[in-house]
Amino acid sequence: MSTHRTGLLLALCITLVCGQNAGAAPDTNPIGKVLTTTGTVRINHSAAITVEANLTNSIGDAKIGDLVYRGDIIQTGPDGKLGVAFADGTSFSVSPNARMEINEFVYNPHGHSNSSLMSLTKGTFTFIAGAIAETGNMNVMTPVGTMGIRGTAPRVEILNDGSVKFSTLIEKTRL
């Protein structure tokens, strides 16, 4: 029993030390919120220190109303879907078997240095660009390149072979 306890304590200590980014202050200001979720959806918060010990080694699924932070990684399982809205009005729909990282998000409604960078590594995403795309610098990184978004509604599909399909809705202007 004592060997088991020592091993658990050692594992927790290693997780806490290795899981922290020693040079950076954690960003604790939420930048978005989960609007819809079905199936298996995980959001790994880079600024959070979670100590959880159980036999199944599972972490709880995301729920409607959960907050999203800069540095978070969103992953959906084979049955998972997620809808998330950000502070600037940008919204993402994330398909099953997808992975998205929120690398950067700086938004001030009265500022002119707004920026965001989202990394999409697998799955299908549709999104509507918000204020950052119109007043700042919104970028979306994929395995084949980085897109600068200037206010549109794209769909990005990252296929299993690493290729990327990109399409966008055409906005009609009214007279």
Side-chain angles (χ1 to χ4, degrees):
M1 185 72 163
S2 124
T3 305
H4 179 65
R5 245 185 225 163
T6 304
L8 179 59
L9 286 175
L10 180 61
L12 288 174
C13 290
I14 289 170
T15 301
L16 289 174
V17 171
C18 294
Q20 293 180 13
N21 186 350
D27 188 351
T28 57
N29 297 317
I31 58 168
K33 184 187 279 191
V34 173
L35 297 180
T36 62
T37 181
T38 57
T40 304
V41 177
R42 307 254 195 259
I43 300 177
N44 299 321
H45 302 293
S46 66
I49 298 173
T50 304
V51 177
E52 182 173 330
N54 61 36
L55 296 176
T56 62
N57 197 25
S58 65
I59 300 171
D61 286 337
K63 305 177 297 303
I64 293 173
D66 281 356
L67 298 176
V68 176
Y69 301 87
R70 183 177 53 88
D72 283 359
I73 298 173
I74 296 170
Q75 293 184 285
T76 57
D79 62 341
K81 292 182 184 179
L82 174 84
V84 61
F86 292 93
D88 73 323
T90 296
S91 62
F92 270 80
S93 291
V94 183
S95 75
N97 290 320
R99 186 178 190 279
M100 169 181 170
E101 183 174 353
I102 305 160
N103 305 92
E104 179 182 333
F105 192 92
V106 177
Y107 177 64
N108 176 342
H110 305 293
H112 298 287
S113 298
N114 297 320
S115 64
S116 69
L117 174 62
M118 312 293 183
S119 294
L120 313 179
T121 53
K122 72 177 197 175
T124 301
F125 308 84
T126 54
F127 59 97
I128 299 172
I132 289 177
E134 298 169 8
T135 64
N137 190 21
M138 180 180 184
N139 291 299
V140 176
M141 190 182 320
T142 72
V144 297
T146 301
M147 301 175 283
I149 307 296
R150 301 294 173 254
T152 189
R155 179 179 190 271
V156 178
E157 182 179 1
I158 302 166
L159 303 173
N160 290 336
D161 67 0
S163 62
V164 177
K165 290 183 179 181
F166 176 81
S167 59
T168 185
L169 297 175
I170 298 173
E171 295 182 41
K172 292 184 179 182
T173 55
R174 295 183 185 197
L175 299 175

